[in-house]
Amino acid sequence: MALSMPYQVVVAVALAVAGVFACVHLAMVFLHVAPSNTLTKRHGEAVGDWIYPEFEQNWKLFAPNPLQMNISLEVRAELATADGGRRTTGWIDLTAQDIEAIRHNPMPSHAQQNQLRRAVDFYLNTHTDDGRPNGSRSTFSEQYMRRLAMQRLYALEGSDGRALGPDTRRIQIRTVTRPVPAARWSDEKARTNPGYREFPWWTITETDRSVGDRASRTEAGR
């Protein structure tokens, strides 16, 4: 009540905007988690654009069958050589790098804990089992995987001491699935050999390269 009339108007408008935003957000979250219905079928893309990636709801913690396997992401790169030829690196375990960064770190970053896993989930959910796109977000998921891999390659050095990123012309990504061994007291029998799923070879664009370079420089600056 002590505010002048102009400030009262500003406060009222700000509260109204905040209230409208809160109502819209709650409605979008409700439609996202609700069973399929007429609204979600008609406006599903708009709901997805609002929710992903910041507000995604994930209920896997309460799944009746929790995951019983560890999934790693590996990449190999086809590099241009000084003599004009090409050579292919071995498989580089990106997940192992994140695990090493998390170990003994009391406050690991969200990216170290979840970035690779969520990127794989995003790609697999937008492609069929044989790698064909199955939705409007398929292209975006592939671009995200390429640029994430390039960010890591720009931060890695080859045998000549140079970063791998600038010389990379193509990359291939694969997932490695390793079952979690049963407890010693359990009589459960499970396979122990890892399973591999290789993605196609992807040609690196200049945009992929610039995004990877910029991201690696930012990370190095921290």
Side-chain angles (χ1 to χ4, degrees), residues 22-34 43 46-48 50-51:
C23 291
V24 171
H25 180 67
L26 289 175
M28 289 295 189
V29 172
F30 173 80
L31 291 174
H32 177 66
V33 300
H43 304 293
V47 173
W50 180 278
I51 293 295

Side-chain angles (χ1 to χ4, degrees), residues 52-66:
Y52 294 104
E54 289 85 2
F55 306 121
E56 181 181 1
Q57 308 298 304
N58 191 320
W59 303 105
K60 289 185 178 180
L61 174 65
F62 305 101
N65 296 308

Side-chain angles (χ1 to χ4, degrees), residues 45-183:
E45 186 173 351
V47 173
D49 290 341
W50 180 278
I51 293 295
Y52 294 104
E54 289 85 2
F55 306 121
E56 181 181 1
Q57 308 298 304
N58 191 320
W59 303 105
K60 289 185 178 180
L61 174 65
F62 305 101
N65 296 308
L67 291 177
Q68 295 182 332
M69 58 192 69
N70 292 318
I71 301 178
S72 301
L73 187 68
E74 299 181 351
V75 63
R76 62 178 176 179
E78 185 180 82
L79 308 177
T81 59
D83 59 2
R86 298 287 180 93
R87 71 176 181 89
T88 302
T89 66
W91 289 103
I92 302 169
D93 192 338
L94 303 182
T95 301
Q97 296 175 1
D98 284 356
I99 292 175
E100 186 62 27
I102 291 171
R103 185 174 288 115
H104 307 307
N105 184 352
M107 299 182 65
S109 71
H110 178 76
Q112 291 169 339
Q113 297 178 76
N114 297 308
Q115 187 178 50
L116 294 180
R117 177 180 61 82
R118 298 304 302 277
V120 172
D121 287 346
F122 184 23
Y123 180 85
L124 295 180
N125 289 334
T126 55
H127 290 75
T128 62
D129 290 341
D130 57 358
R132 291 182 298 177
N134 63 3
S136 59
R137 297 167 63 84
S138 303
T139 300
F140 179 65
S141 68
E142 180 182 323
Q143 291 175 345
Y144 183 64
M145 291 286 282
R146 290 202 314 265
R147 293 170 188 179
L148 179 59
M150 288 302 297
Q151 176 184 342
R152 302 301 185 93
L153 291 174
Y154 265 92
L156 293 176
E157 294 182 353
S159 56
D160 57 358
R162 287 167 44 86
L164 296 177
D167 295 328
T168 298
R169 297 298 178 262
R170 295 197 306 161
I171 63 169
Q172 185 180 30
I173 291 173
R174 75 176 180 183
T175 59
V176 184
T177 303
R178 296 180 175 87
V180 176

Side-chain angles (χ1 to χ4, degrees), residues 180-197:
V180 176
R184 289 179 295 178
W185 45 261
S186 173
D187 58 358
E188 179 182 353
K189 303 298 182 182
R191 66 180 181 86
T192 57
N193 295 330
Y196 299 91
R197 177 172 178 174

